[in-house]
mmCIF file with all atom_site columns, all heavy atoms in Angstrom:
data_model
loop_
_atom_site.group_PDB
_atom_site.id
_atom_site.type_symbol
_atom_site.label_atom_id
_atom_site.label_alt_id
_atom_site.label_comp_id
_atom_site.label_asym_id
_atom_site.label_entity_id
_atom_site.label_seq_id
_atom_site.pdbx_PDB_ins_code
_atom_site.Cartn_x
_atom_site.Cartn_y
_atom_site.Cartn_z
_atom_site.occupancy
_atom_site.B_iso_or_equiv
_atom_site.pdbx_formal_charge
_atom_site.auth_seq_id
_atom_site.auth_comp_id
_atom_site.auth_asym_id
_atom_site.auth_atom_id
_atom_site.pdbx_PDB_model_num
ATOM 1   N N   . PHE A 1 1  ? -33.536 33.966 -2.689 1.00 0.00 ? 282 PHE A N   1
ATOM 2   C CA  . PHE A 1 1  ? -34.204 33.833 -1.422 1.00 0.00 ? 282 PHE A CA  1
ATOM 3   C C   . PHE A 1 1  ? -35.614 33.499 -1.619 1.00 0.00 ? 282 PHE A C   1
ATOM 4   O O   . PHE A 1 1  ? -36.417 34.150 -2.338 1.00 0.00 ? 282 PHE A O   1
ATOM 5   C CB  . PHE A 1 1  ? -34.040 35.185 -0.585 1.00 0.00 ? 282 PHE A CB  1
ATOM 6   C CG  . PHE A 1 1  ? -34.497 35.018 0.860  1.00 0.00 ? 282 PHE A CG  1
ATOM 7   C CD1 . PHE A 1 1  ? -33.626 34.806 1.858  1.00 0.00 ? 282 PHE A CD1 1
ATOM 8   C CD2 . PHE A 1 1  ? -35.907 35.208 1.210  1.00 0.00 ? 282 PHE A CD2 1
ATOM 9   C CE1 . PHE A 1 1  ? -34.029 34.661 3.202  1.00 0.00 ? 282 PHE A CE1 1
ATOM 10  C CE2 . PHE A 1 1  ? -36.242 35.064 2.501  1.00 0.00 ? 282 PHE A CE2 1
ATOM 11  C CZ  . PHE A 1 1  ? -35.389 34.801 3.536  1.00 0.00 ? 282 PHE A CZ  1
ATOM 12  N N   . GLY A 1 2  ? -36.031 32.305 -1.000 1.00 0.00 ? 283 GLY A N   1
ATOM 13  C CA  . GLY A 1 2  ? -37.459 31.947 -1.062 1.00 0.00 ? 283 GLY A CA  1
ATOM 14  C C   . GLY A 1 2  ? -38.286 32.306 0.149  1.00 0.00 ? 283 GLY A C   1
ATOM 15  O O   . GLY A 1 2  ? -37.829 32.080 1.198  1.00 0.00 ? 283 GLY A O   1
ATOM 16  N N   . PHE A 1 3  ? -39.338 32.956 -0.137 1.00 0.00 ? 284 PHE A N   1
ATOM 17  C CA  . PHE A 1 3  ? -40.192 33.444 0.978  1.00 0.00 ? 284 PHE A CA  1
ATOM 18  C C   . PHE A 1 3  ? -41.540 32.512 1.036  1.00 0.00 ? 284 PHE A C   1
ATOM 19  O O   . PHE A 1 3  ? -42.244 32.568 0.064  1.00 0.00 ? 284 PHE A O   1
ATOM 20  C CB  . PHE A 1 3  ? -40.579 34.883 0.708  1.00 0.00 ? 284 PHE A CB  1
ATOM 21  C CG  . PHE A 1 3  ? -40.991 35.646 1.861  1.00 0.00 ? 284 PHE A CG  1
ATOM 22  C CD1 . PHE A 1 3  ? -40.390 35.541 3.089  1.00 0.00 ? 284 PHE A CD1 1
ATOM 23  C CD2 . PHE A 1 3  ? -41.978 36.589 1.778  1.00 0.00 ? 284 PHE A CD2 1
ATOM 24  C CE1 . PHE A 1 3  ? -40.784 36.296 4.214  1.00 0.00 ? 284 PHE A CE1 1
ATOM 25  C CE2 . PHE A 1 3  ? -42.365 37.340 2.885  1.00 0.00 ? 284 PHE A CE2 1
ATOM 26  C CZ  . PHE A 1 3  ? -41.844 37.191 4.108  1.00 0.00 ? 284 PHE A CZ  1
ATOM 27  N N   . LEU A 1 4  ? -41.643 31.738 2.004  1.00 0.00 ? 285 LEU A N   1
ATOM 28  C CA  . LEU A 1 4  ? -42.672 30.709 2.089  1.00 0.00 ? 285 LEU A CA  1
ATOM 29  C C   . LEU A 1 4  ? -43.712 31.133 3.209  1.00 0.00 ? 285 LEU A C   1
ATOM 30  O O   . LEU A 1 4  ? -43.314 31.724 4.174  1.00 0.00 ? 285 LEU A O   1
ATOM 31  C CB  . LEU A 1 4  ? -42.080 29.390 2.392  1.00 0.00 ? 285 LEU A CB  1
ATOM 32  C CG  . LEU A 1 4  ? -40.855 28.988 1.591  1.00 0.00 ? 285 LEU A CG  1
ATOM 33  C CD1 . LEU A 1 4  ? -40.328 27.591 2.100  1.00 0.00 ? 285 LEU A CD1 1
ATOM 34  C CD2 . LEU A 1 4  ? -41.131 28.928 0.180  1.00 0.00 ? 285 LEU A CD2 1
ATOM 35  N N   . GLY A 1 5  ? -44.870 30.472 3.026  1.00 0.00 ? 286 GLY A N   1
ATOM 36  C CA  . GLY A 1 5  ? -45.880 30.646 4.071  1.00 0.00 ? 286 GLY A CA  1
ATOM 37  C C   . GLY A 1 5  ? -47.262 30.255 3.518  1.00 0.00 ? 286 GLY A C   1
ATOM 38  O O   . GLY A 1 5  ? -47.539 30.287 2.277  1.00 0.00 ? 286 GLY A O   1
ATOM 39  N N   . PRO A 1 6  ? -48.205 29.765 4.347  1.00 0.00 ? 287 PRO A N   1
ATOM 40  C CA  . PRO A 1 6  ? -49.534 29.479 3.834  1.00 0.00 ? 287 PRO A CA  1
ATOM 41  C C   . PRO A 1 6  ? -50.236 30.712 3.511  1.00 0.00 ? 287 PRO A C   1
ATOM 42  O O   . PRO A 1 6  ? -49.841 31.893 3.649  1.00 0.00 ? 287 PRO A O   1
ATOM 43  C CB  . PRO A 1 6  ? -50.112 28.882 5.154  1.00 0.00 ? 287 PRO A CB  1
ATOM 44  C CG  . PRO A 1 6  ? -49.421 29.370 6.274  1.00 0.00 ? 287 PRO A CG  1
ATOM 45  C CD  . PRO A 1 6  ? -48.083 29.669 5.734  1.00 0.00 ? 287 PRO A CD  1
ATOM 46  N N   . ASN A 1 7  ? -51.429 30.519 2.879  1.00 0.00 ? 288 ASN A N   1
ATOM 47  C CA  . ASN A 1 7  ? -52.278 31.637 2.376  1.00 0.00 ? 288 ASN A CA  1
ATOM 48  C C   . ASN A 1 7  ? -52.634 32.537 3.596  1.00 0.00 ? 288 ASN A C   1
ATOM 49  O O   . ASN A 1 7  ? -52.902 32.012 4.735  1.00 0.00 ? 288 ASN A O   1
ATOM 50  C CB  . ASN A 1 7  ? -53.603 31.106 1.800  1.00 0.00 ? 288 ASN A CB  1
ATOM 51  C CG  . ASN A 1 7  ? -53.402 30.520 0.364  1.00 0.00 ? 288 ASN A CG  1
ATOM 52  O OD1 . ASN A 1 7  ? -52.433 30.786 -0.274 1.00 0.00 ? 288 ASN A OD1 1
ATOM 53  N ND2 . ASN A 1 7  ? -54.222 29.567 0.044  1.00 0.00 ? 288 ASN A ND2 1
ATOM 54  N N   . GLY A 1 8  ? -52.515 33.794 3.437  1.00 0.00 ? 289 GLY A N   1
ATOM 55  C CA  . GLY A 1 8  ? -52.827 34.803 4.488  1.00 0.00 ? 289 GLY A CA  1
ATOM 56  C C   . GLY A 1 8  ? -51.722 34.953 5.522  1.00 0.00 ? 289 GLY A C   1
ATOM 57  O O   . GLY A 1 8  ? -51.838 35.606 6.544  1.00 0.00 ? 289 GLY A O   1
ATOM 58  N N   . ALA A 1 9  ? -50.511 34.459 5.250  1.00 0.00 ? 290 ALA A N   1
ATOM 59  C CA  . ALA A 1 9  ? -49.362 34.549 6.242  1.00 0.00 ? 290 ALA A CA  1
ATOM 60  C C   . ALA A 1 9  ? -48.840 35.953 6.096  1.00 0.00 ? 290 ALA A C   1
ATOM 61  O O   . ALA A 1 9  ? -48.154 36.294 7.168  1.00 0.00 ? 290 ALA A O   1
ATOM 62  C CB  . ALA A 1 9  ? -48.312 33.611 5.775  1.00 0.00 ? 290 ALA A CB  1
ATOM 63  N N   . GLY A 1 10 ? -49.014 36.741 5.133  1.00 0.00 ? 291 GLY A N   1
ATOM 64  C CA  . GLY A 1 10 ? -48.477 38.054 5.013  1.00 0.00 ? 291 GLY A CA  1
ATOM 65  C C   . GLY A 1 10 ? -47.277 38.233 4.028  1.00 0.00 ? 291 GLY A C   1
ATOM 66  O O   . GLY A 1 10 ? -46.559 39.301 4.025  1.00 0.00 ? 291 GLY A O   1
ATOM 67  N N   . LYS A 1 11 ? -47.174 37.237 3.180  1.00 0.00 ? 292 LYS A N   1
ATOM 68  C CA  . LYS A 1 11 ? -46.035 37.373 2.145  1.00 0.00 ? 292 LYS A CA  1
ATOM 69  C C   . LYS A 1 11 ? -46.345 38.419 1.158  1.00 0.00 ? 292 LYS A C   1
ATOM 70  O O   . LYS A 1 11 ? -45.314 39.359 0.998  1.00 0.00 ? 292 LYS A O   1
ATOM 71  C CB  . LYS A 1 11 ? -45.973 35.934 1.398  1.00 0.00 ? 292 LYS A CB  1
ATOM 72  C CG  . LYS A 1 11 ? -45.749 34.802 2.215  1.00 0.00 ? 292 LYS A CG  1
ATOM 73  C CD  . LYS A 1 11 ? -45.459 33.602 1.431  1.00 0.00 ? 292 LYS A CD  1
ATOM 74  C CE  . LYS A 1 11 ? -46.583 33.250 0.414  1.00 0.00 ? 292 LYS A CE  1
ATOM 75  N NZ  . LYS A 1 11 ? -47.839 32.866 1.154  1.00 0.00 ? 292 LYS A NZ  1
ATOM 76  N N   . THR A 1 12 ? -47.450 38.517 0.529  1.00 0.00 ? 293 THR A N   1
ATOM 77  C CA  . THR A 1 12 ? -47.744 39.595 -0.390 1.00 0.00 ? 293 THR A CA  1
ATOM 78  C C   . THR A 1 12 ? -47.667 40.954 0.270  1.00 0.00 ? 293 THR A C   1
ATOM 79  O O   . THR A 1 12 ? -47.059 41.960 -0.363 1.00 0.00 ? 293 THR A O   1
ATOM 80  C CB  . THR A 1 12 ? -49.109 39.389 -1.112 1.00 0.00 ? 293 THR A CB  1
ATOM 81  O OG1 . THR A 1 12 ? -49.062 38.194 -1.881 1.00 0.00 ? 293 THR A OG1 1
ATOM 82  C CG2 . THR A 1 12 ? -49.419 40.546 -2.058 1.00 0.00 ? 293 THR A CG2 1
ATOM 83  N N   . THR A 1 13 ? -48.131 41.121 1.474  1.00 0.00 ? 294 THR A N   1
ATOM 84  C CA  . THR A 1 13 ? -48.103 42.363 2.158  1.00 0.00 ? 294 THR A CA  1
ATOM 85  C C   . THR A 1 13 ? -46.611 42.798 2.380  1.00 0.00 ? 294 THR A C   1
ATOM 86  O O   . THR A 1 13 ? -46.262 44.007 2.049  1.00 0.00 ? 294 THR A O   1
ATOM 87  C CB  . THR A 1 13 ? -48.722 42.273 3.608  1.00 0.00 ? 294 THR A CB  1
ATOM 88  O OG1 . THR A 1 13 ? -50.037 42.052 3.465  1.00 0.00 ? 294 THR A OG1 1
ATOM 89  C CG2 . THR A 1 13 ? -48.442 43.516 4.380  1.00 0.00 ? 294 THR A CG2 1
ATOM 90  N N   . THR A 1 14 ? -45.760 41.869 2.719  1.00 0.00 ? 295 THR A N   1
ATOM 91  C CA  . THR A 1 14 ? -44.278 42.155 2.848  1.00 0.00 ? 295 THR A CA  1
ATOM 92  C C   . THR A 1 14 ? -43.716 42.670 1.618  1.00 0.00 ? 295 THR A C   1
ATOM 93  O O   . THR A 1 14 ? -42.978 43.647 1.529  1.00 0.00 ? 295 THR A O   1
ATOM 94  C CB  . THR A 1 14 ? -43.498 40.841 3.283  1.00 0.00 ? 295 THR A CB  1
ATOM 95  O OG1 . THR A 1 14 ? -44.096 40.391 4.500  1.00 0.00 ? 295 THR A OG1 1
ATOM 96  C CG2 . THR A 1 14 ? -42.016 41.206 3.482  1.00 0.00 ? 295 THR A CG2 1
ATOM 97  N N   . LEU A 1 15 ? -44.017 41.962 0.439  1.00 0.00 ? 296 LEU A N   1
ATOM 98  C CA  . LEU A 1 15 ? -43.419 42.312 -0.852 1.00 0.00 ? 296 LEU A CA  1
ATOM 99  C C   . LEU A 1 15 ? -43.902 43.842 -1.247 1.00 0.00 ? 296 LEU A C   1
ATOM 100 O O   . LEU A 1 15 ? -43.203 44.536 -1.804 1.00 0.00 ? 296 LEU A O   1
ATOM 101 C CB  . LEU A 1 15 ? -43.771 41.337 -1.876 1.00 0.00 ? 296 LEU A CB  1
ATOM 102 C CG  . LEU A 1 15 ? -43.315 39.945 -1.749 1.00 0.00 ? 296 LEU A CG  1
ATOM 103 C CD1 . LEU A 1 15 ? -43.421 39.008 -2.941 1.00 0.00 ? 296 LEU A CD1 1
ATOM 104 C CD2 . LEU A 1 15 ? -41.863 39.869 -1.156 1.00 0.00 ? 296 LEU A CD2 1
ATOM 105 N N   . LYS A 1 16 ? -45.263 44.026 -0.979 1.00 0.00 ? 297 LYS A N   1
ATOM 106 C CA  . LYS A 1 16 ? -45.767 45.381 -1.347 1.00 0.00 ? 297 LYS A CA  1
ATOM 107 C C   . LYS A 1 16 ? -45.083 46.486 -0.553 1.00 0.00 ? 297 LYS A C   1
ATOM 108 O O   . LYS A 1 16 ? -44.850 47.552 -1.025 1.00 0.00 ? 297 LYS A O   1
ATOM 109 C CB  . LYS A 1 16 ? -47.284 45.366 -1.087 1.00 0.00 ? 297 LYS A CB  1
ATOM 110 C CG  . LYS A 1 16 ? -48.086 44.621 -2.147 1.00 0.00 ? 297 LYS A CG  1
ATOM 111 C CD  . LYS A 1 16 ? -49.549 44.724 -1.902 1.00 0.00 ? 297 LYS A CD  1
ATOM 112 C CE  . LYS A 1 16 ? -50.322 43.996 -3.015 1.00 0.00 ? 297 LYS A CE  1
ATOM 113 N NZ  . LYS A 1 16 ? -51.855 44.090 -2.775 1.00 0.00 ? 297 LYS A NZ  1
ATOM 114 N N   . ILE A 1 17 ? -44.802 46.149 0.671  1.00 0.00 ? 298 ILE A N   1
ATOM 115 C CA  . ILE A 1 17 ? -44.081 47.122 1.490  1.00 0.00 ? 298 ILE A CA  1
ATOM 116 C C   . ILE A 1 17 ? -42.664 47.404 1.005  1.00 0.00 ? 298 ILE A C   1
ATOM 117 O O   . ILE A 1 17 ? -42.126 48.535 0.919  1.00 0.00 ? 298 ILE A O   1
ATOM 118 C CB  . ILE A 1 17 ? -43.996 46.729 2.947  1.00 0.00 ? 298 ILE A CB  1
ATOM 119 C CG1 . ILE A 1 17 ? -45.368 46.737 3.637  1.00 0.00 ? 298 ILE A CG1 1
ATOM 120 C CG2 . ILE A 1 17 ? -42.942 47.508 3.839  1.00 0.00 ? 298 ILE A CG2 1
ATOM 121 C CD1 . ILE A 1 17 ? -45.344 46.249 5.057  1.00 0.00 ? 298 ILE A CD1 1
ATOM 122 N N   . LEU A 1 18 ? -41.974 46.323 0.533  1.00 0.00 ? 299 LEU A N   1
ATOM 123 C CA  . LEU A 1 18 ? -40.639 46.452 0.036  1.00 0.00 ? 299 LEU A CA  1
ATOM 124 C C   . LEU A 1 18 ? -40.575 47.373 -1.220 1.00 0.00 ? 299 LEU A C   1
ATOM 125 O O   . LEU A 1 18 ? -39.667 48.121 -1.382 1.00 0.00 ? 299 LEU A O   1
ATOM 126 C CB  . LEU A 1 18 ? -40.010 45.107 -0.350 1.00 0.00 ? 299 LEU A CB  1
ATOM 127 C CG  . LEU A 1 18 ? -39.847 44.069 0.818  1.00 0.00 ? 299 LEU A CG  1
ATOM 128 C CD1 . LEU A 1 18 ? -39.193 42.794 0.303  1.00 0.00 ? 299 LEU A CD1 1
ATOM 129 C CD2 . LEU A 1 18 ? -38.941 44.731 1.886  1.00 0.00 ? 299 LEU A CD2 1
ATOM 130 N N   . VAL A 1 19 ? -41.579 47.302 -2.099 1.00 0.00 ? 300 VAL A N   1
ATOM 131 C CA  . VAL A 1 19 ? -41.572 48.041 -3.280 1.00 0.00 ? 300 VAL A CA  1
ATOM 132 C C   . VAL A 1 19 ? -42.261 49.377 -3.252 1.00 0.00 ? 300 VAL A C   1
ATOM 133 O O   . VAL A 1 19 ? -42.445 50.067 -4.134 1.00 0.00 ? 300 VAL A O   1
ATOM 134 C CB  . VAL A 1 19 ? -42.124 47.155 -4.399 1.00 0.00 ? 300 VAL A CB  1
ATOM 135 C CG1 . VAL A 1 19 ? -41.301 45.947 -4.640 1.00 0.00 ? 300 VAL A CG1 1
ATOM 136 C CG2 . VAL A 1 19 ? -43.592 46.793 -4.245 1.00 0.00 ? 300 VAL A CG2 1
ATOM 137 N N   . GLY A 1 20 ? -42.816 49.671 -2.022 1.00 0.00 ? 301 GLY A N   1
ATOM 138 C CA  . GLY A 1 20 ? -43.481 50.989 -1.807 1.00 0.00 ? 301 GLY A CA  1
ATOM 139 C C   . GLY A 1 20 ? -44.922 51.086 -2.134 1.00 0.00 ? 301 GLY A C   1
ATOM 140 O O   . GLY A 1 20 ? -45.441 52.113 -2.169 1.00 0.00 ? 301 GLY A O   1
ATOM 141 N N   . LEU A 1 21 ? -45.577 49.934 -2.364 1.00 0.00 ? 302 LEU A N   1
ATOM 142 C CA  . LEU A 1 21 ? -47.034 49.998 -2.720 1.00 0.00 ? 302 LEU A CA  1
ATOM 143 C C   . LEU A 1 21 ? -47.866 49.962 -1.495 1.00 0.00 ? 302 LEU A C   1
ATOM 144 O O   . LEU A 1 21 ? -49.123 50.070 -1.520 1.00 0.00 ? 302 LEU A O   1
ATOM 145 C CB  . LEU A 1 21 ? -47.394 48.743 -3.556 1.00 0.00 ? 302 LEU A CB  1
ATOM 146 C CG  . LEU A 1 21 ? -46.769 48.683 -4.946 1.00 0.00 ? 302 LEU A CG  1
ATOM 147 C CD1 . LEU A 1 21 ? -47.083 47.459 -5.686 1.00 0.00 ? 302 LEU A CD1 1
ATOM 148 C CD2 . LEU A 1 21 ? -47.197 49.902 -5.772 1.00 0.00 ? 302 LEU A CD2 1
ATOM 149 N N   . CYS A 1 22 ? -47.249 49.756 -0.270 1.00 0.00 ? 303 CYS A N   1
ATOM 150 C CA  . CYS A 1 22 ? -48.027 49.570 0.995  1.00 0.00 ? 303 CYS A CA  1
ATOM 151 C C   . CYS A 1 22 ? -47.054 50.198 2.081  1.00 0.00 ? 303 CYS A C   1
ATOM 152 O O   . CYS A 1 22 ? -45.847 49.977 2.071  1.00 0.00 ? 303 CYS A O   1
ATOM 153 C CB  . CYS A 1 22 ? -48.351 48.147 1.199  1.00 0.00 ? 303 CYS A CB  1
ATOM 154 S SG  . CYS A 1 22 ? -49.262 47.803 2.675  1.00 0.00 ? 303 CYS A SG  1
ATOM 155 N N   . LYS A 1 23 ? -47.572 50.849 3.081  1.00 0.00 ? 304 LYS A N   1
ATOM 156 C CA  . LYS A 1 23 ? -46.769 51.424 4.131  1.00 0.00 ? 304 LYS A CA  1
ATOM 157 C C   . LYS A 1 23 ? -47.040 50.636 5.395  1.00 0.00 ? 304 LYS A C   1
ATOM 158 O O   . LYS A 1 23 ? -48.129 50.212 5.751  1.00 0.00 ? 304 LYS A O   1
ATOM 159 C CB  . LYS A 1 23 ? -47.168 52.838 4.402  1.00 0.00 ? 304 LYS A CB  1
ATOM 160 C CG  . LYS A 1 23 ? -46.692 53.902 3.319  1.00 0.00 ? 304 LYS A CG  1
ATOM 161 C CD  . LYS A 1 23 ? -47.050 55.301 3.693  1.00 0.00 ? 304 LYS A CD  1
ATOM 162 C CE  . LYS A 1 23 ? -46.621 56.210 2.601  1.00 0.00 ? 304 LYS A CE  1
ATOM 163 N NZ  . LYS A 1 23 ? -46.920 57.667 2.948  1.00 0.00 ? 304 LYS A NZ  1
ATOM 164 N N   . PRO A 1 24 ? -45.889 50.403 6.134  1.00 0.00 ? 305 PRO A N   1
ATOM 165 C CA  . PRO A 1 24 ? -46.092 49.635 7.458  1.00 0.00 ? 305 PRO A CA  1
ATOM 166 C C   . PRO A 1 24 ? -46.580 50.607 8.517  1.00 0.00 ? 305 PRO A C   1
ATOM 167 O O   . PRO A 1 24 ? -46.364 51.786 8.422  1.00 0.00 ? 305 PRO A O   1
ATOM 168 C CB  . PRO A 1 24 ? -44.563 49.198 7.742  1.00 0.00 ? 305 PRO A CB  1
ATOM 169 C CG  . PRO A 1 24 ? -43.707 50.256 7.051  1.00 0.00 ? 305 PRO A CG  1
ATOM 170 C CD  . PRO A 1 24 ? -44.530 50.703 5.828  1.00 0.00 ? 305 PRO A CD  1
ATOM 171 N N   . ASN A 1 25 ? -47.182 49.946 9.517  1.00 0.00 ? 306 ASN A N   1
ATOM 172 C CA  . ASN A 1 25 ? -47.612 50.772 10.684 1.00 0.00 ? 306 ASN A CA  1
ATOM 173 C C   . ASN A 1 25 ? -46.487 51.118 11.593 1.00 0.00 ? 306 ASN A C   1
ATOM 174 O O   . ASN A 1 25 ? -46.463 52.104 12.291 1.00 0.00 ? 306 ASN A O   1
ATOM 175 C CB  . ASN A 1 25 ? -48.714 50.032 11.456 1.00 0.00 ? 306 ASN A CB  1
ATOM 176 C CG  . ASN A 1 25 ? -49.994 49.799 10.658 1.00 0.00 ? 306 ASN A CG  1
ATOM 177 O OD1 . ASN A 1 25 ? -50.152 48.867 10.105 1.00 0.00 ? 306 ASN A OD1 1
ATOM 178 N ND2 . ASN A 1 25 ? -50.869 50.792 10.771 1.00 0.00 ? 306 ASN A ND2 1
ATOM 179 N N   . GLN A 1 26 ? -45.451 50.301 11.489 1.00 0.00 ? 307 GLN A N   1
ATOM 180 C CA  . GLN A 1 26 ? -44.317 50.472 12.305 1.00 0.00 ? 307 GLN A CA  1
ATOM 181 C C   . GLN A 1 26 ? -43.112 49.812 11.647 1.00 0.00 ? 307 GLN A C   1
ATOM 182 O O   . GLN A 1 26 ? -43.248 48.735 10.972 1.00 0.00 ? 307 GLN A O   1
ATOM 183 C CB  . GLN A 1 26 ? -44.566 49.924 13.741 1.00 0.00 ? 307 GLN A CB  1
ATOM 184 C CG  . GLN A 1 26 ? -43.342 50.159 14.692 1.00 0.00 ? 307 GLN A CG  1
ATOM 185 C CD  . GLN A 1 26 ? -43.680 49.542 16.103 1.00 0.00 ? 307 GLN A CD  1
ATOM 186 O OE1 . GLN A 1 26 ? -44.934 49.571 16.465 1.00 0.00 ? 307 GLN A OE1 1
ATOM 187 N NE2 . GLN A 1 26 ? -42.833 48.970 16.739 1.00 0.00 ? 307 GLN A NE2 1
ATOM 188 N N   . GLY A 1 27 ? -41.821 50.297 11.872 1.00 0.00 ? 308 GLY A N   1
ATOM 189 C CA  . GLY A 1 27 ? -40.716 49.632 11.327 1.00 0.00 ? 308 GLY A CA  1
ATOM 190 C C   . GLY A 1 27 ? -40.075 50.322 10.101 1.00 0.00 ? 308 GLY A C   1
ATOM 191 O O   . GLY A 1 27 ? -40.720 51.145 9.597  1.00 0.00 ? 308 GLY A O   1
ATOM 192 N N   . ARG A 1 28 ? -38.917 49.813 9.746  1.00 0.00 ? 309 ARG A N   1
ATOM 193 C CA  . ARG A 1 28 ? -38.231 50.353 8.579  1.00 0.00 ? 309 ARG A CA  1
ATOM 194 C C   . ARG A 1 28 ? -37.703 49.358 7.548  1.00 0.00 ? 309 ARG A C   1
ATOM 195 O O   . ARG A 1 28 ? -37.536 48.193 8.060  1.00 0.00 ? 309 ARG A O   1
ATOM 196 C CB  . ARG A 1 28 ? -36.999 51.203 9.074  1.00 0.00 ? 309 ARG A CB  1
ATOM 197 C CG  . ARG A 1 28 ? -37.498 52.514 9.872  1.00 0.00 ? 309 ARG A CG  1
ATOM 198 C CD  . ARG A 1 28 ? -36.301 53.319 10.262 1.00 0.00 ? 309 ARG A CD  1
ATOM 199 N NE  . ARG A 1 28 ? -35.443 52.686 11.274 1.00 0.00 ? 309 ARG A NE  1
ATOM 200 C CZ  . ARG A 1 28 ? -34.318 53.224 11.600 1.00 0.00 ? 309 ARG A CZ  1
ATOM 201 N NH1 . ARG A 1 28 ? -33.897 54.421 11.210 1.00 0.00 ? 309 ARG A NH1 1
ATOM 202 N NH2 . ARG A 1 28 ? -33.543 52.534 12.510 1.00 0.00 ? 309 ARG A NH2 1
ATOM 203 N N   . VAL A 1 29 ? -37.486 49.786 6.343  1.00 0.00 ? 310 VAL A N   1
ATOM 204 C CA  . VAL A 1 29 ? -37.012 48.903 5.334  1.00 0.00 ? 310 VAL A CA  1
ATOM 205 C C   . VAL A 1 29 ? -35.836 49.498 4.684  1.00 0.00 ? 310 VAL A C   1
ATOM 206 O O   . VAL A 1 29 ? -35.899 50.676 4.341  1.00 0.00 ? 310 VAL A O   1
ATOM 207 C CB  . VAL A 1 29 ? -38.156 48.492 4.313  1.00 0.00 ? 310 VAL A CB  1
ATOM 208 C CG1 . VAL A 1 29 ? -37.520 47.721 3.123  1.00 0.00 ? 310 VAL A CG1 1
ATOM 209 C CG2 . VAL A 1 29 ? -39.333 47.869 4.921  1.00 0.00 ? 310 VAL A CG2 1
ATOM 210 N N   . TRP A 1 30 ? -34.756 48.838 4.382  1.00 0.00 ? 311 TRP A N   1
ATOM 211 C CA  . TRP A 1 30 ? -33.585 49.247 3.640  1.00 0.00 ? 311 TRP A CA  1
ATOM 212 C C   . TRP A 1 30 ? -33.539 48.438 2.399  1.00 0.00 ? 311 TRP A C   1
ATOM 213 O O   . TRP A 1 30 ? -33.660 47.208 2.369  1.00 0.00 ? 311 TRP A O   1
ATOM 214 C CB  . TRP A 1 30 ? -32.314 49.109 4.447  1.00 0.00 ? 311 TRP A CB  1
ATOM 215 C CG  . TRP A 1 30 ? -32.131 50.111 5.513  1.00 0.00 ? 311 TRP A CG  1
ATOM 216 C CD1 . TRP A 1 30 ? -31.498 51.295 5.491  1.00 0.00 ? 311 TRP A CD1 1
ATOM 217 C CD2 . TRP A 1 30 ? -32.675 49.949 6.897  1.00 0.00 ? 311 TRP A CD2 1
ATOM 218 N NE1 . TRP A 1 30 ? -31.555 51.912 6.703  1.00 0.00 ? 311 TRP A NE1 1
ATOM 219 C CE2 . TRP A 1 30 ? -32.195 51.111 7.560  1.00 0.00 ? 311 TRP A CE2 1
ATOM 220 C CE3 . TRP A 1 30 ? -33.298 48.945 7.600  1.00 0.00 ? 311 TRP A CE3 1
ATOM 221 C CZ2 . TRP A 1 30 ? -32.547 51.304 8.952  1.00 0.00 ? 311 TRP A CZ2 1
ATOM 222 C CZ3 . TRP A 1 30 ? -33.689 49.117 8.936  1.00 0.00 ? 311 TRP A CZ3 1
ATOM 223 C CH2 . TRP A 1 30 ? -33.180 50.267 9.513  1.00 0.00 ? 311 TRP A CH2 1
ATOM 224 N N   . ILE A 1 31 ? -33.229 49.062 1.236  1.00 0.00 ? 312 ILE A N   1
ATOM 225 C CA  . ILE A 1 31 ? -32.800 48.463 -0.040 1.00 0.00 ? 312 ILE A CA  1
ATOM 226 C C   . ILE A 1 31 ? -31.432 48.871 -0.319 1.00 0.00 ? 312 ILE A C   1
ATOM 227 O O   . ILE A 1 31 ? -31.177 50.032 -0.593 1.00 0.00 ? 312 ILE A O   1
ATOM 228 C CB  . ILE A 1 31 ? -33.802 48.916 -1.206 1.00 0.00 ? 312 ILE A CB  1
ATOM 229 C CG1 . ILE A 1 31 ? -35.271 48.616 -0.847 1.00 0.00 ? 312 ILE A CG1 1
ATOM 230 C CG2 . ILE A 1 31 ? -33.485 48.156 -2.443 1.00 0.00 ? 312 ILE A CG2 1
ATOM 231 C CD1 . ILE A 1 31 ? -35.618 47.125 -0.635 1.00 0.00 ? 312 ILE A CD1 1
#
């Protein structure tokens, strides 16, 4: 799965949330 977006789009934030390095303000994640 390719995750695309311009700089500052939120890609790295998303990945950090997935691996537990960052917590979302709202919402849930399943692995």
Side-chain angles (χ1 to χ4, degrees):
F282 189 93
F284 200 41
L285 313 178
N288 289 333
K292 303 188 302 299
T293 294
T294 296
T295 302
L296 302 191
K297 285 182 177 179
I298 290 173
L299 296 183
V300 300
L302 294 176
C303 181
K304 290 184 179 180
N306 295 93
Q307 183 181 325
R309 295 185 293 179
V310 175
W311 286 267
I312 304 295

